[in-house]
Amino acid sequence: MVARVDDAAKGDGMTMTRRRFLHSASVGLGLAGGLAACASTIKGDIAPKTGRRVVVIGGGWGGATAARYVRMADPSIEVVLLEPNGDFVSCPFSNLVLSGLRTIDSLTRSYDGLRSRGIRIINEAATAIEPDTKRVRIGEGYLAYDRLVVSPGIDFQWDQIEGLPAARDTVLHAWKAGPQTVELARQIQSMADGGVFVLTVPPVAYRCPPGPYERVCQVAWYLNKNKPKSKLIVLDANQNIVSKTALFRTAWQAYPNIDYRASNKVIALDTSTKEVRTEFDRVKYDVLNLIPPQRAGAIAVQADLVGPDKRWCEVDHVTYESVKQKEIHVVGDATIGLPVPKSGNVANAMGKAAALSIVSLLKGQPVPLMPPGNTCYSWVSDREAIAVINSYKIENGKVVQIEQKLTPAQSVAVAQRAEGWRLSIWSDVLS
Amino acid sequence: MIIGRASLALGLAVLVLLAVTKEARAAGPLDNPGFAKVITCSACHGQNGNSRSDMMPIIAGLDPAYFKKQIESYATGKRSSPEMEPYAKEIQFLGLDQITAYFASQKRQPTPIRGTANAIAKGKVAAAPCAVCHGQNGAGDPARLIPGLAGQAPGYLAQQMLLFKQDTREPADQLLAAKRAVMRVIPDSQFAELAAYYGSLR
């Protein structure tokens, strides 16, 4: 199995092309089954540790950034990144795939930049964490670590909605950019003019607070232009638009096809009658985009890094070390307790701070204070965007917000800066 | 001779010690205390302030006095920017002097964004009024807080020209009165050409 690891390191993981990746599973779950089968054939120490080693679970915004910054700060530390997907697919900007303004290929980037930094990428999912022996298990095999970064993203609480567990392979969330995004775009495009698109927004906390409302803008823009008789019903479990509220309200004035219903939590689903049920109502759909309630990625729950609610991971605000397990750092959407949104930019900031903390700790040096930042753009049409920016400081070991600022209005200039942000931050995560 | 040998041995010992120290120090960017303070910036401004995108400005190698003035103007809202106002306050919390020094000491890498030859040529012709302050080669004049434009990201330059023309960048700043006067007589359609020209300078 070492050969397999080396193949992956040379880029063989990349031979699973985007097309094959997209076709391999129209709803994404086929992939996990395939990997579980691979993992079970690995046995023993996958790569014996020779020097200091950091293992990173998850190659999204937080994990890939952490891997990169450990190597940047100290190239003598070995870094192994565990990521089942062969390529990085950006969630930010993926709502633009639904409106046809972008392709998923334009949001897909390889991990070659990280490989060229000497980071070893294994295209497998971690199956367990053993904090006592400081090992990560991949099926029957394992990897030893000195420090572990867990960046597992989110998973869904299927059982919170009646009828959803049985339908989870066919009902689309499209909340992890990839095959589901492409499939949802296809369904929207093939919906008849006059058809009803239903989008459900989960209760907070969930990944990307403004994401559902940007999605509303993009789908409404597309339908307005291409299917003027269609409408878009938004069933929001929350009492109001969660983020950038006034700016989204203004943007929606351009889309008379939006029917927004606050405090409408979806509690049941019936795919045979194409209906979702809220506490008060039944709503028929032609195309459904059901974003389920969320929690930290499965590995964090299984490794007991989550709090009493079994949902999210509490961490030290300076080092991102888990409050439950020493020498394990958790970053990104899986964390809770900091006054920050679950955004790609915050995951990137956490990845950097965790990485430099780890390098400092491994050297026995004091850990610098590295407060996060958040710049978050949302596209409200085909050419205009809005943004929210949060800055932070660290006081008495806790992250405290300094200021939150919104763009005064939607504009083309903000959208142009969003494009700049996209390119810069992808490079900060992956180059 | 004995003294000679002793000093040779001492010299060797010092060399070995230096080598060891150097190796221990060859650890990387964390040895610069500024590095941990600027990690937030790279999400937009690129590695070490060398943005590679069209819209995000390159801040590597910026003159310290100019850099400080911008951060202070952002923080007070005089230079209006929803993005930079919060971050300017974060910078002040982390230490403006150290962050200024960090970016000032970074080598500036010119933008990879290149306009068409036609746009660059037109921009060069239109740049005569700009050269009065920013210099023939766009190097700027640090003594007068006039920034260098050579190799800067063109999309950023064009957006700033528009802000000056609309009088929405530091409207009360008398030092910028001449700048605004120049911008007001340049048609909007020329901004992209001027930006392409200055972006192309090295």
Side-chain angles (χ1 to χ4, degrees), chain A residues 143-183:
Chain A
L143 281 167
Y145 63 79
D146 293 295
R147 291 260 168 183
L148 178 65
V149 178
V150 182
S151 183
I154 50 126
D155 266 315
F156 300 108
Q157 297 178 299
W158 308 102
D159 58 359
Q160 300 283 304
I161 294 170
E162 186 192 323
L164 184 57
R168 59 190 259 184
D169 291 357
T170 51
V171 171
L172 299 171
H173 53 75
W175 215 238
K176 297 180 179 187
Q180 287 220 357
T181 315
V182 175
E183 172 58 16

Side-chain angles (χ1 to χ4, degrees), chain A residues 202-234:
Chain A
V204 291
Y206 61 84
R207 162 179 283 177
C208 189
Y213 312 104
E214 181 194 55
R215 180 167 291 186
V216 169
C217 293
Q218 288 302 307
V219 176
W221 175 84
Y222 171 83
L223 294 178
N224 218 16
K225 187 161 168 274
N226 299 288
K227 301 177 199 292
K229 289 184 222 147
S230 286
K231 83 172 172 175
L232 194 167
I233 299 174
V234 187

Side-chain angles (χ1 to χ4, degrees), chain B residues 111-150:
Chain B
T111 178
I113 308 291
R114 188 130 184 115
T116 62
N118 185 35
I120 293 169
K122 282 184 174 169
K124 184 174 183 177
V125 174
C130 313
V132 175
C133 289
H134 289 280
Q136 283 304 322
N137 54 1
D141 182 1
R144 294 158 64 207
L145 293 177
I146 295 168
L149 305 177

Side-chain angles (χ1 to χ4, degrees), chain A residues 31-50:
Chain A
L31 193 61
L35 286 159
C38 287
S40 66
T41 59
I42 299 177
K43 285 192 168 59
D45 194 345
I46 293 165
K49 192 165 84 68
T50 50

Side-chain angles (χ1 to χ4, degrees), chain A residues 57-58 60-63 89-92 149-156 175-177 204-210 294-298 300-301 306 309 311-315 320 329-338 340-351 374:
Chain A
I57 296 176
W61 290 70
V89 187
S90 173
C91 268
V149 178
V150 182
S151 183
I154 50 126
D155 266 315
F156 300 108
W175 215 238
K176 297 180 179 187
V204 291
Y206 61 84
R207 162 179 283 177
C208 189
Q294 295 159 30
R295 59 168 170 77
V301 179
V306 289
D309 64 352
R311 282 182 79 189
W312 308 110
C313 308
E314 214 181 305
V315 292
Y320 296 92
H329 302 249
V330 186
V331 296
D333 294 344
T335 61
I336 200 84
L338 286 81
V340 299
K342 297 188 185 302
S343 74
N345 202 133
V346 164
N348 165 260
M350 288 178 170
N374 178 57

Side-chain angles (χ1 to χ4, degrees), chain A residues 68 73 352 375 377 391 417 424, chain B residues 27 39 44 47 83 86-87:
Chain A
R68 180 171 180 265
K352 295 176 203 178
T375 309
Y377 296 96
S391 66
R417 298 205 292 277
S424 294
Chain B
I39 55 171
C44 287
Q47 206 65 62
E83 282 95 336
Y87 286 126

